[in-house]
């Protein structure tokens, strides 16, 4: 929880008549901003410092090691003595989920209330941004500025739904990979998480642990390559709003873009 909840409530002052209004309490606003930024930095550092996680199935023949962003699956030499071929893929997926849940728990615990304090990054100065925006607008060609604004409004309003739909489809994509002999097939979601695993049961009846491990790793590598190829560097890349992606994240850049000639 944020320690500045009282600061947030102080921003709103109750009037004698029962109504609420926004009070001009800059100190409370900046205190809340500071606490939010500290928590954000704390969470990011926790994610970066979380070490690798390893889990095994109850038989000890399936081992999964997760070290973001890589995941390593190893099948033991005597796996067939304790796991039926038709059950192996399910055991592997269950072990993968165990590792991911353990990592999520470790990450959550690392930024709890008793986690070490971190310094918040310096808050941006609204005055600097406002001055820069005013200078850009004052020095701009009025016709160009208005034309660009109208173009942005029209494009944004007409293309927003299609952009959101395209982003949703991209996030829901499943990327598959298989080894050279088709004995192992791995499916990853857009974040690189394993969501499916299929192993040739006939092949499994004679395959040793090393063979299975190599086949899975080969299939996983190809699926990861597919994910990387389909993941753009910028979130809006390839969508109708790609030309405005940078500006939407930075108000100054937005005005700079709208006052640009062309």
């Amino acid at each position: 929880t944020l320690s500045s909840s009282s600061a947030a409530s102080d921003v709103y002052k109750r009037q004698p008549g029962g109504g609420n209004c926004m009070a001009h309490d800059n100190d409370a606003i900046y205190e809340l901003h500071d606490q939010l930024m500290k928590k954000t930095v704390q969470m990011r550092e926790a994610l970066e410092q979380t070490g690798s996680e390893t889990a095994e199935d109850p038989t000890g023949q399936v081992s999964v090691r997760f070290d973001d962003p890589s995941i390593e699956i190893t099948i033991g030499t005597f796996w067939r003595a304790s796991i039926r071929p038709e059950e192996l893929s399910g055991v592997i997926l269950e072990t993968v989920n165990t590792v991911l849940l353990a990592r999520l728990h470790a990450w959550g615990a690392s930024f709890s209330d008793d986690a070490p304090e971190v310094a918040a990054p310096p808050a941006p100065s609204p005055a600097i941004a406002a001055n820069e925006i005013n200078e850009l607008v004052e020095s701009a060609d009025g016709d160009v500025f208005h034309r660009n604004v109208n173009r942005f409004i029209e494009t944004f309003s007409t293309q927003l739904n299609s952009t959101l739909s395209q982003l949703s489809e991209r996030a829901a994509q499943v990327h598959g990979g298989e080894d050279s002999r088709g004995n192992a097939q791995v499916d990853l979601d857009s974040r690189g998480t394993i969501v499916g695993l299929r192993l040739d049961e006939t092949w499994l009846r004679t395959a040793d642990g090393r063979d299975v491990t190599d086949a899975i790793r080969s299939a996983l590598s190809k699926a990861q390559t597919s994910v990387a190829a389909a993941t753009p560097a910028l979130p809006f890349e390839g969508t109708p709003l790609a030309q405005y992606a940078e500006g939407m994240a930075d108000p100054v850049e937005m005005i700079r873009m709208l006052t640009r000639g062309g």
Side-chain angles (χ1 to χ4, degrees):
T1 57
L2 294 175
S3 62
S4 61
S5 56
S6 60
S9 63
D10 287 342
V11 177
Y12 294 89
K13 304 295 185 181
R14 183 171 296 279
Q15 300 302 306
N20 290 330
C21 71
M22 176 71 81
H24 298 288
D25 192 343
N26 290 336
D27 289 340
I29 293 175
Y30 280 115
E31 182 182 346
L32 177 60
H33 175 273
D34 183 67
Q35 290 296 325
L36 287 170
M37 292 304 296
K38 282 183 178 180
K39 188 60 66 175
T40 300
V41 173
Q42 195 176 56
M43 292 172 69
R44 184 171 63 246
E45 289 188 355
L47 185 61
E48 292 174 350
Q49 294 174 6
T50 300
S52 62
E53 291 286 343
T54 303
E56 292 184 344
D57 79 307
T59 71
Q61 291 298 304
V62 174
S63 174
V64 176
R65 182 175 183 271
F66 185 83
D67 191 359
D68 196 21
S70 66
I71 186 167
E72 184 177 294
I73 299 172
T74 304
I75 308 301
T77 303
F78 307 106
W79 72 270
R80 279 202 308 275
S82 50
I83 305 174
R84 298 170 62 184
E86 62 270 23
E87 297 174 345
L88 181 58
S89 60
V91 172
I92 294 172
L93 290 175
E94 187 175 347
T95 310
V96 168
N97 288 336
T98 299
V99 169
L100 294 178
L101 287 174
R103 187 174 177 83
L104 181 61
H105 176 75
W107 179 67
S110 64
F111 61 86
S112 58
D113 289 338
D114 56 355
E117 282 289 327
V118 296
S125 170
I128 294 176
N131 290 337
E132 189 170 355
I133 289 174
N134 288 336
E135 291 175 1
L136 287 169
V137 173
E138 289 175 359
S139 61
D141 182 300
D143 291 337
V144 171
F145 180 52
H146 287 295
R147 182 173 66 249
N148 288 344
V149 169
N150 290 334
R151 181 187 301 160
F152 167 73
I153 293 174
E154 180 180 359
T155 303
F156 191 86
S157 61
T158 59
Q159 301 295 342
L160 178 60
N161 286 339
S162 60
T163 294
L164 293 178
S165 176
Q166 192 168 331
L167 291 175
S168 296
E169 291 177 2
R170 181 185 296 170
Q173 285 181 344
V174 174
H175 305 270
E178 66 177 21
D179 71 306
S180 59
R181 297 187 177 183
N183 292 322
Q185 297 176 329
V186 173
D187 291 331
L188 303 178
D189 65 14
S190 60
R191 297 168 301 174
T193 302
I194 298 178
V195 295
L197 173 63
R198 294 173 297 282
L199 301 172
D200 185 292
E201 293 180 14
T202 302
W203 167 71
L204 284 177
R205 293 191 181 100
T206 57
D208 62 23
R210 180 180 294 276
D211 291 337
V212 180
T213 297
D214 291 343
I216 293 175
R217 289 181 179 177
S218 176
L220 182 58
S221 176
K222 290 182 179 179
Q224 290 170 334
T225 299
S226 178
V227 171
T231 304
L234 299 174
F236 288 94
E237 186 177 327
T239 72
L241 295 181
Q243 59 182 315
Y244 300 118
E246 186 175 357
M248 285 188 286
D250 182 349
V252 175
E253 179 58 31
M254 173 64 77
I255 298 302
R256 185 178 291 112
M257 178 178 61
L258 294 176
T259 55
R260 195 173 295 141

